[in-house]
Amino acid sequence: MNRSMLMVMIAGLLALVAVFTVRNFRRDPATKQDAAGAVEDFGRDEIEARESLRIHPEDCRARLKLATSLRRQGKISEAEAELIRAIQDKLPQEEGRREVVLQMAPKDWPEKMEGMFQQVVREHPDDREVLAAVAASYSAKGRWENAEPLYSRLVVVEPDRAEWRFQRGVARMRTAYFVNAVEDFREVLKGDSSNYQARLFLGHSLLGDARMSDAERELETCRQQRPEATEPLVGLADCAMERNDLTAAESLLNQAAKLDNKSAQVFQELAKLYLRQQRTPEAITALRRLLALDPNHRQGHLQLSQALLAIGNKTEASQHEAIYQELDRKEEERLNSKRGVR
């Protein structure tokens, strides 16, 4: 391994240990027995690796095995330290890159590591651990368009795992590929008709595809499954608004607000309804509540500015317009950075 690659790997590890925090992205579902067995296996790997290193302390592959077992047990800082030593002991580049990416994936890794992530995926196109970790990392960052092909590959690698179809459905739904998302969620429900989350997302994907009657049927089932949840009510309210039944929509949203008066989504939908009905004072009240719950809601600031302007409150309207413009500028910077624009 050349010195520059060594320094990039070590610098990346050390910087991320110091600066970034581990995110709790969704883990693969497993039974308690499976999880206990896996931990026991990883612990056994650790013991074997330490014994090998006791005899051959410069064995880079034994050091890598130790780093891997520690990572899988959640001993992150120890795993990072062992990986650095393995790299220093001339661990082959490809093996080092793979473990670096697996250690970095749960973290808010910097853009400069993007190339390494993509290279590792190319080098290990059928590696379930790599695919799952990188897909989950992209999902945690909201990079659904990057996560989707990785989940698609996982569906091929492990076709019987419903989890991968579910996660691919989520990625497709987030990128507005609603028809394909519907297919994935329906497939998940074939295996488990009680899966509330899959049915809820199926309902919203159907709604996104303008299939209102199908969406209402699925969302009503969700409502029966979880009468305490607000999400089915919001979805059903959207369906009602689409068919111009604004009275039904308002009733559903008011029910949702009673169930959860801290749901920004509920007040966002109430504001949308009131603005559509030209009920400006009620819209202003709902928008103020929305912004109290989510101060950085760009559209909330814009809509409140417009509503305040409509009733002649120019001073406060200009304040919210300024906040909206600043938030919009920051979002544009974020998107430009994501696209590689400088």
Side-chain angles (χ1 to χ4, degrees):
M1 177 178 292
N2 62 53
R3 181 172 178 79
S4 62
M5 178 62 72
L6 169 65
M7 295 309 296
V8 167
M9 287 186 174
I10 294 177
L13 280 171
L14 291 176
L16 286 165
V17 171
V19 177
F20 298 104
T21 58
V22 176
R23 287 185 176 180
N24 294 319
F25 61 81
R26 182 169 182 155
R27 299 285 182 181
D28 299 342
T31 64
K32 290 182 180 179
Q33 185 175 359
D34 291 339
V39 169
E40 183 178 340
D41 288 343
F42 301 153
R44 188 179 302 114
D45 287 345
E46 179 185 353
I47 292 170
E48 290 175 358
R50 289 191 186 281
E51 179 60 22
S52 295
L53 288 168
R54 186 183 65 79
I55 300 170
H56 303 289
E58 295 184 359
D59 184 341
C60 61
R61 285 199 168 87
R63 187 76 61 185
L64 174 63
K65 181 177 180 179
L66 177 57
T68 300
S69 66
L70 289 168
R71 169 178 55 79
R72 289 171 174 170
Q73 293 176 79
K75 301 176 182 178
I76 306 303
S77 59
E78 294 177 62
E80 289 166 341
E82 295 299 336
L83 177 56
I84 290 172
R85 289 192 62 183
I87 293 171
Q88 291 171 329
D89 288 338
K90 298 183 173 55
L91 182 71
Q93 285 191 34
E94 185 174 328
E95 295 175 52
R97 277 194 299 269
R98 179 184 184 277
E99 186 60 23
V100 167
V101 164
L102 288 171
Q103 289 194 10
M104 294 301 108
K107 306 180 181 191
D108 192 6
W109 42 272
E111 291 178 27
K112 67 182 180 180
M113 296 194 73
E114 177 75 29
M116 186 182 295
F117 270 69
Q118 294 183 3
Q119 182 175 0
V120 167
V121 170
R122 288 194 300 271
E123 290 171 343
H124 303 275
D126 297 324
D127 188 321
R128 177 204 165 279
E129 188 175 26
V130 167
L131 293 170
V134 177
S137 182
Y138 281 137
S139 297
K141 288 173 173 284
R143 294 177 56 177
W144 305 106
E145 70 283 359
N146 296 107
E148 193 275 343
L150 300 180
Y151 285 125
S152 289
R153 188 62 197 158
L154 281 164
V155 169
V156 174
V157 172
E158 293 187 312
D160 296 330
R161 283 288 297 277
E163 172 69 7
W164 306 138
R165 284 195 180 274
F166 175 83
Q167 295 290 9
R168 183 175 68 176
V170 173
R172 288 173 165 179
M173 180 181 67
R174 299 297 188 193
T175 49
Y177 287 100
F178 297 118
V179 174
N180 293 332
V182 165
E183 293 174 0
D184 279 332
F185 294 132
R186 286 202 189 283
E187 196 65 32
V188 172
L189 288 166
K190 281 182 184 178
D192 180 10
S193 61
S194 66
N195 189 321
Y196 168 81
Q197 202 68 46
R199 193 172 298 280
L200 178 67
F201 287 167
L202 171 60
H204 282 292
S205 297
L206 288 164
L207 183 59
D209 196 36
R211 295 157 66 179
M212 297 305 154
S213 59
D214 290 342
E216 283 187 292
R217 183 170 56 252
E218 302 298 344
L219 291 166
E220 188 58 49
T221 300
C222 289
R223 184 183 185 182
Q224 293 169 11
Q225 281 183 282
R226 303 266 183 94
E228 78 287 355
T230 61
E231 294 91 343
L233 293 170
V234 171
L236 288 166
D238 278 338
C239 291
M241 278 192 268
E242 283 297 319
R243 64 171 185 269
N244 207 33
D245 189 349
L246 303 187
T247 301
E250 183 173 5
S251 175
L252 288 161
L253 290 172
N254 282 332
Q255 290 177 53
K258 287 179 182 178
L259 287 171
D260 184 1
N261 65 2
K262 294 183 179 179
S263 169
Q265 183 187 30
V266 170
F267 289 100
Q268 176 184 336
E269 292 299 308
L270 274 170
K272 182 172 75 173
L273 173 64
Y274 293 143
L275 288 170
R276 180 169 171 174
Q277 295 175 308
Q278 297 184 334
R279 293 163 61 182
T280 306
E282 291 97 326
I284 289 173
T285 299
L287 288 165
R288 289 193 192 283
R289 181 64 179 152
L290 166 63
L291 293 174
L293 294 166
D294 183 2
N296 292 324
H297 196 291
R298 285 188 300 150
Q299 286 302 116
H301 283 288
L302 178 61
Q303 290 174 338
L304 182 54
S305 173
Q306 293 168 341
L308 289 167
L309 197 59
I311 64 170
N313 189 341
K314 295 181 181 180
T315 301
E316 190 178 355
S318 65
Q319 293 171 354
H320 286 283
E321 170 70 16
I323 295 172
Y324 163 75
Q325 290 177 348
E326 177 62 14
L327 291 171
D328 198 52
R329 182 188 64 77
K330 290 180 178 179
E331 177 63 9
E332 186 63 25
E333 285 181 354
R334 186 187 72 81
L335 292 174
N336 284 340
S337 175
K338 182 177 173 181
R339 292 189 292 258
V341 176
R342 293 293 183 266

